[in-house]
Amino acid sequence: MRIPLWVEASRLKVLVFGGGSVGARRAKFFSAAGAKVRVLAKKVVPELQVIGVEIKLVDLYQYDPSDDIRWADVVVVAVDDPVLAEQLFRKAESMGKLVNDATDASRTHVVVPYERVVGGLRIAVTSEGAAGTPARLSLDVIEGCIKNSWIPLFFQIYKQLKAEAKEAIKETKKRLAYYQALVEDEEFLELVKAGRAQEALARGRSIMSKILIA
């Protein structure tokens, strides 16, 4: 079973097999997030040469990538030849690496989802290879639902109150009790849903005061 996780990309070393358009997209995705990226391919598309990733021009039919695989935390397989893809996948897997297999979603260990930020929230969607376009377009539906709801305002108010609580309530148990009290307070939520931000903040601070003296 695959589980959704957010991983700090700056701690990752990512090896990409393949210098075509798919390999370039994966390299750009990980590099933009701060990962160290190394691309192995016989030739690469021009965009790979300008995004600041390491490129090793090698013939993957002849080259032994064992040292490169050991270096990596995540291995991306993005080559056209299914036989070569199978060999590279099996080698990386046998060496205990997590593999993002762009050639066969059914066996990939790491899924790269479609994602965007909506109202301060990061939303990620994937079909795990079954139907990419519906998954991508579903983000438009999700974005519309969130933007037309009270969630963006709730996010801003809750974020502000949480920051204030971290300063004012030093005891973790009391601070967690405050967060729970906020979401259970009907008056607070009604003010948020009505768009009355300042009143909602005042109500939240009032609840915080009661927690402090409890």
Side-chain angles (χ1 to χ4, degrees):
M1 175 184 288
R2 300 183 183 113
I3 58 175
L5 298 170
W6 292 108
V7 177
E8 177 50 57
S10 65
R11 299 179 64 88
L12 296 177
K13 290 177 287 187
V14 180
L15 176 65
V16 179
F17 288 120
S21 59
V22 176
R25 285 199 299 272
R26 291 290 192 269
K28 186 175 181 180
F29 173 81
F30 283 107
S31 178
K36 293 180 181 178
V37 178
R38 179 182 297 174
V39 178
L40 269 59
K42 193 170 185 178
K43 60 181 180 179
V44 300
V45 294
E47 63 184 285
L48 264 175
Q49 299 173 338
V50 297
I51 63 174
V53 301
E54 180 185 355
I55 298 172
K56 293 176 69 173
L57 297 179
V58 298
D59 184 346
L60 291 172
Y61 292 98
Q62 303 295 328
Y63 178 77
D64 181 0
S66 296
D67 288 342
D68 302 282
I69 293 172
R70 288 190 195 93
W71 167 85
D73 299 305
V74 175
V75 175
V76 176
V77 178
V79 296
D80 291 332
D81 183 345
V83 175
L84 178 60
E86 173 76 17
Q87 292 172 351
L88 294 171
F89 175 86
R90 294 302 171 197
K91 189 172 188 64
E93 184 179 52
S94 71
M95 294 174 69
K97 301 300 179 177
L98 292 171
V99 183
N100 170 240
D101 192 341
T103 71
D104 188 346
S106 67
R107 68 184 180 187
T108 193
H109 306 140
V110 178
V111 174
V112 178
Y114 299 101
E115 63 136 343
R116 69 181 62 164
V117 177
V118 183
L121 304 172
R122 289 185 67 184
I123 310 297
V125 177
T126 180
S127 69
E128 297 186 279
T133 299
R136 175 174 56 81
L137 293 178
S138 73
L139 282 176
D140 295 333
V141 177
I142 294 169
E143 180 173 8
C145 289
I146 293 175
K147 282 186 173 180
N148 292 324
S149 75
W150 50 276
I151 291 297
L153 180 60
F154 180 49
F155 176 88
Q156 294 301 325
I157 293 171
Y158 189 91
K159 180 181 177 182
Q160 175 64 34
L161 291 171
K162 186 174 181 180
E164 293 178 15
K166 284 185 175 181
E167 289 294 322
I169 308 174
K170 301 305 180 184
E171 187 180 334
T172 302
K173 187 176 181 179
K174 278 192 173 184
R175 196 161 62 244
L176 293 176
Y178 170 61
Y179 300 153
Q180 188 62 31
L182 270 182
V183 297
E184 291 179 351
D185 187 80
E186 292 184 7
E187 182 178 343
F188 171 73
L189 289 179
E190 286 303 317
L191 289 169
V192 172
K193 292 175 182 179
R196 295 155 66 179
Q198 293 307 311
E199 293 173 72
L201 280 168
R203 176 63 181 172
R205 289 167 182 150
S206 174
I207 296 169
M208 190 187 308
S209 297
K210 293 177 182 177
I211 294 286
L212 282 168
I213 61 176

